[in-house]
Amino acid sequence: MNYFDTLDKSLCCGCTACASICPTKCITMLEDEDGFIYPDIDKAKCIDCGLCKKVCPFIHSETLKNNAADKCYALAVNDKDVLHKSASGGAFSAIMQAFCDQNYVIFGSEMCSDLVVRHTYADTIEEASKFKKSKYVKSDINNSYVHAREALDEGKKVLFTGTGCQIAGLRGFLQKEYDNLLTVDLVCHGVPSQKMFNNYINSLSKKYNAKVVNYSFREKHNGKCTYDKAVLENGAIHFLAVDNYYLRAFYSSISLMHSCHGCKFTDVKRTSDITIADFWGIELYNSKFDTNKGSSLLIINTQKGQKIFNEIKDVKLFDTDINNAIKGNGHLLKPTSLSPNKESFLKIARTDFPKAVKKYCKLSFKARIAKYMPSWMKQIINPEYYAISDLIAQLK
């Protein structure tokens, strides 16, 4: 079964590979009422070439995966400024420094000035700093696959970062391997839509009676990635935790794209050359890592990834068994569960996001007591809560 034959939303991740490859441009990515995009085919223009199905990562997920790694690494850059500006341990910066020496282009997701998360590109490491930090919104790939192929065919080195399904979509779209391409994927919880994020931003503007002009996820404040930061047009800055309805819905797994609950890429057989994430629980295996400042997880999936990894310098490293990473990153094992209240939540969230969260994302007893638990106890009780313990500690 596939999306093209069934229109089943759980079978499409919205990667845009099909629309990007279509020779007659008969495929348009259209938003549904919740803001998630799916391919719509103009039958009058379709020539039945079959390329859309040939490049679909959900149809060919197993052929796009690498062999499972048996070990992984914890990493933290030594540069304090880079570490502070990174969501975790600075793995992305370290990889850029190792790969991007000359004639290169970097693709990643950027929170643009209009608060829309888009995949864009940069041709300097300094400009690529806009790709740092987490963005818990499904990014608009737009023409990034096409631009990446053009750069590759010109002989440029291309570093492409994204979620597992986006990397799989890129590789399917390219239809061949490139020696000058390095792919980096993220361990992904799932993605809410841009429309859902907009609804949340609008609720903040209404609450504070001023337009939100800048927003960042997991801002390092007092040394920790604890808060989201909203900047208003009147200059006010709010570090959001207690009233962060967006993240409460996100971690309740009720606001995600339908296919996230059956994701084909939530296991240790990754689609990229290198996988990065937070290394939740690293202090249980190596006390020398300061988790308050952030530590990254690196999984090396290919020989190409290993070659770049060998070039990484000026970092603190610790190698360990992959199972230790899985304990704190459940989405290396399985996708996010589907909430039985998802459809009811979405119906309300379309017009009143805070109301939907209050009704269907109530804080559990575990969340209420999390701030009193030591980290090892959070890890044993529930790794998912451990992974967001800094946030939960602020919630009431």
Side-chain angles (χ1 to χ4, degrees):
M1 295 207 330
N2 62 78
Y3 177 80
F4 302 102
D5 294 334
T6 65
L7 300 184
D8 182 345
K9 292 180 179 180
S10 69
L11 300 177
C12 176
C13 60
C15 71
T16 78
C18 56
S20 298
I21 200 70
C22 180
T24 63
K25 304 302 178 186
C26 73
I27 300 178
T28 304
M29 303 301 295
L30 298 181
E31 274 192 10
D32 69 2
E33 55 192 343
D34 299 307
F36 296 114
I37 61 169
Y38 300 94
D40 180 73
I41 301 177
D42 183 344
K43 298 297 184 182
K45 295 181 180 179
C46 179
I47 59 175
D48 293 319
C49 65
L51 281 175
C52 53
K53 292 181 180 179
K54 184 177 180 180
V55 304
C56 176
F58 256 52
I59 295 176
H60 304 288
S61 59
E62 290 306 312
T63 63
L64 293 167
K65 292 181 181 180
N66 300 298
N67 294 328
D70 58 1
K71 71 175 184 177
C72 59
Y73 301 86
L75 176 149
V77 296
N78 291 326
D79 189 310
K80 294 181 180 179
D81 182 60
V82 172
L83 186 62
H84 178 73
K85 293 178 180 178
S86 304
S88 51
F92 177 61
S93 294
I95 293 169
M96 281 197 299
Q97 291 289 345
F99 180 74
C100 300
D101 48 6
Q102 57 183 347
N103 196 28
Y104 61 85
V105 60
I106 306 165
F107 290 82
S109 64
E110 173 190 4
M111 177 72 77
C112 298
S113 59
D114 57 359
L115 303 188
V116 174
V117 178
R118 298 184 178 91
H119 252 71
T120 59
Y121 61 89
D123 55 14
T124 68
I125 290 178
E126 291 73 22
E127 185 187 359
S129 62
K130 63 188 179 182
F131 303 140
K132 295 180 181 179
K133 298 287 186 72
S134 302
K135 293 98 177 174
Y136 297 132
V137 185
K138 182 174 178 56
S139 65
D140 179 3
I141 284 286
N142 53 74
N143 293 317
S144 289
Y145 290 167
V146 175
H147 292 322
R149 183 178 62 185
E150 291 172 350
L152 289 166
D153 289 340
E154 291 171 2
K156 294 181 179 179
K157 297 174 70 173
V158 171
L159 171 58
F160 201 104
T161 64
T163 60
C165 63
Q166 288 174 333
I167 298 300
L170 170 67
R171 292 182 58 204
F173 167 79
L174 292 175
Q175 299 186 77
K176 68 176 184 178
E177 297 297 327
Y178 285 84
D179 291 338
N180 49 327
L181 171 66
L182 182 73
T183 55
V184 178
D185 83 303
L186 316 168
V187 178
C188 179
H189 174 84
V191 286
S193 68
Q194 179 68 49
K195 183 177 181 179
M196 204 168 299
F197 180 64
N198 292 345
N199 290 345
Y200 172 62
I201 292 298
N202 290 338
S203 73
L204 289 180
S205 295
K206 183 177 180 180
K207 176 179 179 178
Y208 296 116
N209 197 30
K211 182 180 178 180
V212 178
V213 295
N214 195 5
Y215 194 96
S216 58
F217 292 95
R218 294 184 59 188
E219 189 77 14
K220 281 188 176 174
H221 185 62
N222 294 330
K224 298 182 180 181
C225 293
T226 303
Y227 304 97
D228 284 11
K229 184 175 76 172
V231 181
L232 308 183
E233 62 181 350
N234 60 12
I237 297 175
H238 294 273
F239 289 99
L240 305 165
V242 173
D243 54 354
N244 196 328
Y245 294 126
Y246 187 79
L247 282 191
R248 193 183 298 185
F250 177 75
Y251 285 115
S252 296
S253 305
I254 203 169
S255 60
L256 312 180
M257 194 170 190
H258 297 280
S259 59
C260 294
H261 305 293
C263 181
K264 306 289 187 182
F265 309 106
T266 47
D267 58 26
V268 292
K269 296 171 66 176
R270 311 302 294 179
T271 61
S272 68
D273 297 303
I274 302 175
T275 296
I276 61 176
D278 294 88
F279 202 131
W280 301 115
I282 182 58
E283 72 276 12
L284 302 176
Y285 313 108
N286 189 325
S287 59
K288 294 182 180 180
F289 276 80
D290 186 346
T291 55
N292 285 340
K293 294 181 180 179
S295 58
S296 294
L297 164 68
L298 267 77
I299 305 173
I300 311 303
N301 304 311
T302 65
Q303 291 184 348
K304 188 190 299 183
Q306 183 65 52
K307 181 179 179 180
I308 297 302
F309 175 77
N310 293 341
E311 297 297 320
I312 291 177
K313 297 180 175 63
D314 198 26
V315 296
K316 178 166 57 179
L317 281 172
F318 172 70
D319 65 298
T320 185
D321 189 274
I322 189 68
N323 290 312
N324 293 333
I326 292 173
K327 291 176 183 177
N329 280 283
H331 302 300
L332 285 170
L333 191 62
K334 61 181 180 180
T336 300
S337 300
L338 174 64
S339 168
N341 297 317
K342 185 181 182 75
E343 293 303 325
S344 299
F345 169 85
L346 292 174
K347 185 176 181 180
I348 298 174
R350 290 163 196 158
T351 55
D352 193 334
F353 191 84
K355 180 179 179 180
V357 174
K358 290 176 183 178
K359 184 175 177 64
Y360 292 108
C361 307
K362 299 182 186 299
L363 291 174
S364 69
F365 176 73
K366 289 178 182 177
R368 294 178 185 278
I369 66 172
K371 63 182 178 180
Y372 302 111
M373 294 181 186
S375 58
W376 63 267
M377 186 180 296
K378 297 172 189 173
Q379 174 74 8
I380 293 172
I381 292 176
N382 191 326
E384 197 68 21
Y385 278 111
Y386 174 79
I388 58 168
S389 59
D390 281 340
L391 169 65
I392 290 172
Q394 304 300 320
L395 299 174
K396 297 181 180 178

